[in-house]
Amino acid sequence: MTMQFHEVGGQSIAYRHNPGSGPAVVFLPGYMSDMAGGKATALFDWCAANGRECLLLDYSGCGESSGNFADGTLSRWRDEVLALVQVKIASDKVIVIGSSMGGWLMLLVGTALGERLHALVGIAAAPDFSDWGFDEVQKSQLRAGVTIYEKNNYGYDPTPTHAKFWQDAEDNRLLHREVPVTAPVRLLHGQEDTDVPPETSLRLARALASEDVQVTLVKGGDHRLSRDGDIALLLRTVEIL
């Protein structure tokens, strides 16, 4: 399926859409990631092979979309996802899948979708990382408007965190209260994840209003959960839902 573009908030958002039966699958990539990754591609190919509706996208400032990454925030990217779902998804119900930061976004998107939400699938979901992911010195710098840089093992080194993103993320923290999602939720997390502690998925499971929440800890799995067996687990999880 060829890449297309849709204008949202003055930016040209890149997306790929496969028409088909529902519930539609929407994949949200992680921080500084895009829809060209292995998990996104595997999901899109599975949906195409099985006649399922699927939507992939690049947030503004990421991948093939226009915009400056320094202007990106959770609130802006949430609104971009919701705008694309509104105009491009034909199915009545939507399964939102989020990887890492995308797992935080999926909670914001899922809450906004309300009755249209069919299920959520988090892959090393990282809600509230603006809090637990930074020490007090870094937080003080971010409050002062300073961009901080950290070592990264996944291709963007050093990785920037802009004050605008961090401050908006602080306003979107979720784990201190009940997360008002009542749809089924599946959380996949590698036991060897050194970026997002597996305890984060357990905290999220406790915070969710849903009574149908399952956490799967993957032995030997790292943050990306991109091995063949990890991808197979993701596809099985989506198929069951």
Side-chain angles (χ1 to χ4, degrees), residues 131-212:
D131 179 36
W132 51 259
F134 300 92
D135 62 31
E136 288 305 318
V137 172
Q138 292 171 317
K139 289 178 182 178
S140 294
Q141 292 174 312
L142 289 161
R143 287 189 195 100
V146 176
T147 297
I148 66 170
Y149 295 87
E150 297 176 284
K151 181 174 175 58
N152 184 287
N153 297 319
Y154 307 113
Y156 298 98
D157 189 16
T159 297
T161 299
H162 298 288
K164 181 178 181 178
F165 174 89
W166 182 83
Q167 290 161 359
D168 175 82
E170 282 288 275
D171 292 337
N172 281 293
R173 281 168 54 190
L174 297 170
L175 296 180
H176 60 287
R177 57 178 171 81
E178 183 175 78
V179 180
V181 168
T182 56
V185 181
R186 302 293 179 262
L187 301 172
L188 314 178
H189 215 122
Q191 286 189 308
E192 306 304 321
D193 190 338
T194 57
D195 295 286
V196 180
E199 168 63 23
T200 306
S201 282
L202 300 176
R203 285 182 64 197
L204 174 56
R206 290 192 292 269
L208 285 158
S210 175
E211 294 294 321
D212 185 0

Side-chain angles (χ1 to χ4, degrees), residues 40-114:
T41 301
L43 279 164
F44 195 85
D45 290 347
W46 180 86
C47 287
N50 289 277
R52 294 286 184 177
E53 187 173 16
C54 184
L55 175 70
L56 307 181
L57 74 152
D58 290 341
Y59 315 126
S60 59
C62 300
E64 300 299 318
S65 291
S66 68
N68 188 335
F69 183 76
D71 293 327
T73 64
L74 287 174
S75 294
R76 165 176 268 191
W77 294 337
R78 173 202 61 205
D79 292 347
E80 291 168 0
V81 174
L82 289 169
L84 276 172
V85 168
Q86 181 67 29
V87 299
K88 301 300 176 183
I89 294 292
S91 302
D92 292 336
K93 293 289 188 177
V94 181
I95 297 175
V96 185
I97 302 170
S99 177
S100 192
M101 181 206 73
W104 190 351
L105 261 185
M106 82 174 179
L107 298 166
L108 302 175
V109 169
T111 299
L113 286 174

Side-chain angles (χ1 to χ4, degrees), residues 12 14 16 21 64 109 167 193 207 214-215 229:
S12 185
R16 294 172 70 199
S21 62
E64 300 299 318
V109 169
Q167 290 161 359
D193 190 338
Q214 296 176 15
V215 179

